[in-house]
Amino acid sequence: MNGIEKWILAVLGVAGGVWSFLVDGLGLAVATLAVFMAIDYASGLAQAFYNRQLNSEVGYRGLVKKVYFLLLVGACYMFENLVFGTRHLADGVAISFVAMEFISIAENGVRMNAPFSGAFEAFLSIVKKKTEIEKDDK
């Protein structure tokens, strides 16, 4: 993940935390994160199968990383609730991870040459360029 992506995720996390504060909690942030993680994992498996790069070790590492992120978000909720009695900052953290999962889902689609149209296609072309640059660096 490059510096720009980290800034985007940070801004989305802060915006999500502010929004959570304004509406007195989102409630669905962690459930949404879990669903996005499942979609990302399934789309990752699909693209690996499509590109004939299926590797159980890579899949296992991805799954372990997702479990860690869920544990981290849970710890943020528990800590914030204990210290401040709120959950708005943790909602922001969860929303930041949701954005990261969405980008990963889009990258999986790009790797499978899935057809997209409109503004989403422009977004995905940027993601595809980033993906190709990462492949060249390896």
Side-chain angles (χ1 to χ4, degrees), residues 47-115:
Q47 76 85 17
F49 183 77
Y50 176 85
N51 291 313
R52 299 174 193 233
Q53 297 175 339
L54 202 55
N55 182 331
S56 60
E57 184 176 339
V58 172
Y60 176 74
R61 287 177 183 258
L63 196 56
V64 169
K65 192 184 299 186
K66 289 181 185 321
V67 169
Y68 169 75
F69 287 147
L70 285 173
L71 292 172
L72 179 63
V73 169
C76 288
Y77 273 101
M78 298 297 288
F79 182 76
E80 181 182 2
N81 190 30
L82 178 68
V83 174
F84 303 113
T86 62
R87 63 185 176 276
H88 309 302
L89 298 172
D91 278 347
V93 171
I95 289 169
S96 176
F97 282 118
V98 167
M100 183 176 67
E101 292 297 323
F102 179 78
I103 291 169
S104 181
I105 292 166
E107 287 176 339
N108 289 333
V110 167
R111 290 182 186 124
M112 289 188 291
N113 299 319

Side-chain angles (χ1 to χ4, degrees), residues 2 9-10 25 34-36 39-40 47 49 71 74-75 81 84 92 98 101-102 109 119 124-125 135 137:
N2 64 28
L9 294 178
V35 169
F36 272 57
I39 293 169
D40 180 44
Q47 76 85 17
F49 183 77
L71 292 172
N81 190 30
F84 303 113
V98 167
E101 292 297 323
F102 179 78
L124 291 179
S125 69
K135 282 183 185 177
D137 289 343

Side-chain angles (χ1 to χ4, degrees), residues 22-39:
L22 293 174
V23 299
D24 195 29
L26 297 174
L28 290 176
V30 175
T32 303
L33 176 59
V35 169
F36 272 57
M37 285 179 161
I39 293 169

